[in-house]
Amino acid sequence: MRAKDHTGLLGEDIAAEFLIGLGYRVLERRWRTSRGELDLVVEDGRCLVAVEVKARRGRGFGHPLESIDQQKLRRLHLLVNEYAAQRRSWAAGCRVDVVSVVLGPGSLDGVIAPDIEYLQDVTL
């Protein structure tokens, strides 16, 4: 597995645990359709949430949140609505959240906690 892929999977695991700690329930990981993928699909109360996870091993290539543009957000909003339509649920609504995970030296072996930033209800 490429280091980039390993970082992404580790970031998703860290983000899922972070959200579980906030009381969310993880419904899906890496949900795919022909139009794209949702890293995490979680339930916040009665609200369906698509969570985009951006993980990096430092800030040498910029902050992870900088990689999310309007096109990506548009696709995430379409995908979460597609997910909800397939499940015929979530009358309380849908939203898109973003979790940034920066792994620094020592965070891979649990010595230092990763830097996590969480943005809720990211809109176009």
Side-chain angles (χ1 to χ4, degrees), residues 92-120:
C94 302
R95 71 173 195 252
V96 172
D97 293 358
V98 179
V99 176
S100 162
V101 179
V102 178
L103 303 166
S107 60
L108 294 177
D109 55 15
V111 174
I112 299 173
D115 182 24
I116 300 172
E117 290 186 50
Y118 178 44
L119 303 176
Q120 286 184 305

Side-chain angles (χ1 to χ4, degrees), residues 33-51:
T33 72
S34 60
R35 290 185 229 12
E37 176 182 319
L38 296 175
D39 293 334
L40 298 172
V41 179
V42 301
E43 188 176 36
D44 177 15
R46 293 188 57 227
C47 185
L48 181 68
V49 184
V51 181

